[in-house]
Amino acid sequence: FYAKASDALCGHAFQTEGRRLRKAQETVPAEILDRLQALWERRLTVVQATTPPTSHAAELTSFGWWLASAKFDNAWALNQLTEVLKLVGKVDADHQVVERLAELATDRPLQTVKCLHLIVEGDTEGWRVHAWRGHARTILAAAIQGTDIQARQAAIDLVHRLGTRGHFEFRDLLPKTFSS
């Protein structure tokens, strides 16, 4: 299938599975999740060896639905998301993805801020932040108020980056020494 299918069709296949997982009320059996993870990892390896990886953008961006499903191990899912964002700079279902990142922000502040930063950088239209600014605020606040120094600095840097793009609504999150 993957040897002959177009990027759009591969993306549709992964997106459909991600949406199905997100809607699933019951627990998905571990063996199914393991098989899906193995499939994704094989495909990611193929895409990483492809020049340019953006020729598989639809396939890669569909991972947003997988992350939003909250069915996979958090560390694995965040690592995959980070790789996707590094390769193509965007993800499908970005609102749901940022919402999921907000849910994970307290436990994984550095990873969630890094992913949010990559999503912000991939927002070439400049308006997508408005759709998920509440969840972005949760992520940034968790990192700035937390004990992880790297996460705090990454969040402060991202608040400043957002400010350069005209998103001043995050500046009140900055520690007083940084806000002037």
Side-chain angles (χ1 to χ4, degrees):
F1 172 80
Y2 289 102
K4 296 186 180 211
S6 68
D7 176 46
L9 186 56
C10 293
H12 180 72
F14 276 114
Q15 184 185 96
T16 300
E17 186 58 29
R19 286 176 182 254
R20 190 184 70 72
L21 287 167
R22 190 162 194 282
K23 289 181 182 179
Q25 299 294 319
E26 69 282 348
T27 302
V28 178
E31 59 270 9
I32 292 175
L33 292 176
D34 290 345
R35 289 175 66 192
L36 289 170
Q37 282 181 242
L39 172 62
W40 175 262
E41 289 169 358
R42 279 194 307 272
R43 291 303 304 153
L44 185 59
T45 300
V46 168
V47 170
Q48 288 169 325
T50 304
T51 306
T54 53
S55 64
H56 292 272
E59 184 176 2
L60 291 172
T61 60
S62 66
F63 187 78
W65 290 104
W66 287 39
L67 180 104
S69 77
K71 300 291 192 236
F72 297 96
D73 173 75
N74 294 332
W76 179 85
L78 285 171
N79 287 336
Q80 303 312 302
L81 177 66
T82 300
E83 194 59 37
V84 166
L85 292 168
K86 285 179 181 177
L87 290 169
V88 292
K90 62 184 178 177
V91 67
D92 289 347
D94 62 330
H95 182 273
Q96 290 89 349
V97 168
V98 176
E99 181 178 356
R100 180 73 180 131
L101 291 175
E103 293 168 2
L104 300 171
T106 302
D107 293 333
R108 300 177 182 283
L110 183 58
Q111 256 186 312
T112 57
V113 169
K114 285 182 175 182
C115 287
L116 180 61
H117 185 102
L118 291 166
I119 291 169
V120 167
E121 291 303 314
D123 178 18
T124 56
E125 297 90 9
W127 56 266
R128 300 186 73 80
V129 173
H130 294 292
W132 34 258
R133 67 177 166 240
H135 297 300
R137 185 175 190 76
T138 299
I139 296 163
L140 295 167
I144 290 171
Q145 296 166 7
T147 58
D148 183 328
I149 294 169
Q150 283 184 301
R152 180 180 303 139
Q153 189 58 55
I156 289 168
D157 292 346
L158 183 51
V159 169
H160 288 298
R161 179 69 179 129
L162 286 161
T164 65
R165 291 180 160 207
H167 299 286
F168 304 117
E169 64 267 30
F170 301 103
R171 67 179 161 206
D172 65 310
L173 295 172
L174 295 172
K176 297 299 178 212
T177 57
F178 290 99
S179 61
S180 50

